[in-house]
């Protein structure tokens, strides 16, 4: 795609009239009008722009240092000083719909005395609108939230009281769970958390909950879930769901039953998620 030629020597007279007319009538701040003398015109186009698609226009922001601006946009077409402010001018090519021509737009970056960006400006509103349309990427499609599920299984079904070896009923229940998870998830990540009641010592309950979680992981792996996608941990008696006050042993044991459990937390891992 070749840049539009705005003015050349064969059109000198017409071009000079156009420039002088433009200078007299255009008051679009903050671009001061300048009269171009005929002797400054050559055979090359008056303005040559760089294609907008190779410029990182949307990344220019306030406070950005000049070195970073130049790294993104390259050197400006020219640099001028107005008081203690530096002005960098770029000519940017935008495609014109319906043809292979281009519109060359003037883009100015004003720098503070400390060399950081103070403001940016387009010469024409049309150019500003084109820049917003063509250089601002569409919002990224929001990723769906991962599907999360928590399955709570009673330890009294999975294990004998105080035991960490699965019962036949417990194995059947876990095979059913594995089948359901494989049907619902393509790439599941599973966390298995063992819990106990407060009967017994703290350390023994912590160890029992860990062994139970690991037993569940082994059974789920045998039933088709990836062992490497499962984490087993024991939390002992630290996260009760009920608090019981009775002193009667059997009554207390029955009351604390909800605390004896294994929780299976599952979520769908996105593609590229290594967690």
């Amino acid at each position: 795609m070749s840049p539009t030629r705005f003015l050349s020597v064969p059109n000198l007279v017409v071009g000079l009239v156009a420039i002088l007319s433009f200078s007299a009538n255009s008051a679009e701040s903050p671009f001061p009008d300048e009269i171009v003398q005929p002797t400054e015109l050559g055979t090359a186009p008056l303005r040559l722009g760089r294609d907008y698609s190779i410029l990182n226009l949307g990344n220019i922001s306030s406070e950005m240092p000049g070195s970073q601006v130049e790294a993104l946009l390259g050197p400006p077409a020219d640099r001028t000083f107005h008081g203690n402010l530096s002005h960098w001018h770029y000519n940017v090519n935008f495609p014109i719909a319906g043809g292979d021509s281009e519109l060359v737009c003037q883009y100015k970056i004003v720098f503070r005395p400390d060399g950081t960006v103070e403001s940016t400006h387009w010469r024409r509103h049309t150019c500003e609108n084109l820049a917003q349309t063509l250089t601002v990427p569409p919002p990224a499609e929001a990723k769906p939230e991962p599907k999360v599920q928590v399955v709570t299984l009673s330890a009294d079904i999975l294990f004998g009281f105080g035991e960490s070896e699965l019962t036949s009923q417990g194995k059947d229940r876990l095979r059913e769970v594995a089948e359901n998870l494989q049907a619902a998830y393509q790439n599941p990540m599973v966390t298995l958390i063992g819990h106990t009641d407060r009967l017994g010592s703290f350390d023994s309950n912590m160890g029992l909950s860990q062994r139970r979680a690991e037993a569940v992981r082994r059974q789920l792996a045998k039933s088709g879930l990836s062992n490497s996608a499962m984490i087993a941990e024991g939390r002992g008696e630290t996260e009760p769901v009920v608090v019981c006050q009775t002193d009667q042993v059997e009554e207390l044991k029955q009351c604390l039953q909800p605390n004896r459990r294994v929780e299976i937390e599952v979520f769908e891992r996105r593609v590229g998620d290594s967690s």
Side-chain angles (χ1 to χ4, degrees):
M1 185 179 295
S2 60
T4 302
R5 291 179 174 269
F6 277 75
L7 193 63
S8 59
V9 168
N11 300 316
L12 178 59
V13 175
V14 175
L16 180 58
V17 171
I19 291 172
L20 294 175
S21 175
F22 180 83
S23 299
N25 298 324
S26 176
E28 293 186 56
S29 179
F31 287 83
D33 295 323
E34 297 179 359
I35 297 177
V36 179
Q37 299 299 325
T39 55
E40 296 181 20
L41 300 178
T43 58
L46 182 62
R47 290 201 304 270
L48 285 174
R50 298 183 64 200
D51 196 281
Y52 82 96
S53 63
I54 65 173
L55 298 177
N56 295 292
L57 296 171
N59 294 323
I60 304 302
S61 60
S62 180
E63 309 294 336
M64 181 177 287
S67 58
Q68 190 172 349
V69 171
E70 190 159 356
L72 290 171
L73 303 184
D78 72 287
R79 295 178 171 90
T80 59
F81 285 88
H82 298 266
N84 60 354
L85 300 179
S86 174
H87 291 193
W88 290 13
H89 300 87
Y90 289 87
N91 296 321
V92 182
N93 293 340
F94 286 111
I96 298 176
D100 58 358
S101 298
E102 295 173 327
L103 174 66
V104 180
C105 290
Q106 294 173 305
Y107 180 65
K108 174 190 287 187
I109 304 176
V110 179
F111 290 88
R112 301 182 181 88
D114 66 357
T116 60
V117 173
E118 178 183 82
S119 59
T120 61
H121 310 273
W122 287 98
R123 183 69 176 86
R124 301 186 230 172
H125 294 304
T126 300
C127 295
E128 183 175 4
N129 292 335
L130 278 171
Q132 292 176 350
T133 301
L134 295 174
T135 65
V136 177
E141 183 178 351
K143 293 183 179 180
E145 290 298 317
K147 180 168 57 175
V148 179
Q149 181 180 6
V150 179
V151 179
T152 301
L153 302 177
S154 171
D156 288 8
I157 294 177
L158 300 177
F159 308 96
F161 185 76
E163 301 293 330
S164 59
E165 184 176 344
L166 287 165
T167 63
S168 58
Q169 184 182 8
K171 292 178 181 179
D172 290 341
R173 181 71 180 95
L174 290 174
R175 279 192 285 266
E176 180 184 344
V177 169
E179 182 178 341
N180 291 337
L181 294 181
Q182 287 173 306
Y185 296 85
Q186 294 183 343
N187 189 26
M189 182 67 193
V190 182
T191 301
L192 308 164
I193 306 171
H195 300 272
T196 68
D197 59 26
R198 60 180 174 83
L199 300 177
S201 71
F202 180 89
D203 290 341
S204 64
N205 285 334
M206 190 64 73
L208 177 61
S209 65
Q210 180 67 42
R211 292 192 299 274
R212 284 179 169 178
E214 291 172 351
V216 171
R217 178 172 64 177
R218 288 192 296 271
Q219 183 60 44
L220 291 177
K222 289 180 181 178
S223 300
L225 293 181
S226 172
N227 189 58
S228 62
M230 291 187 286
I231 299 173
E233 59 181 86
R235 297 184 185 173
E237 61 190 72
T238 61
E239 298 179 6
V241 293
V242 296
V243 176
C244 304
Q245 303 298 334
T246 181
D247 293 330
Q248 299 296 321
V249 176
E250 288 302 319
E251 186 178 342
L252 180 60
K253 179 180 174 182
Q254 182 63 32
C255 179
L256 292 173
Q257 186 273 331
N259 293 343
R260 300 188 295 272
R261 67 199 190 277
V262 175
E263 294 175 339
I264 304 175
E265 298 179 354
V266 191
F267 72 90
E268 185 76 77
R269 289 185 294 181
R270 300 189 182 102
V271 175
D273 189 348
S274 60
S275 61

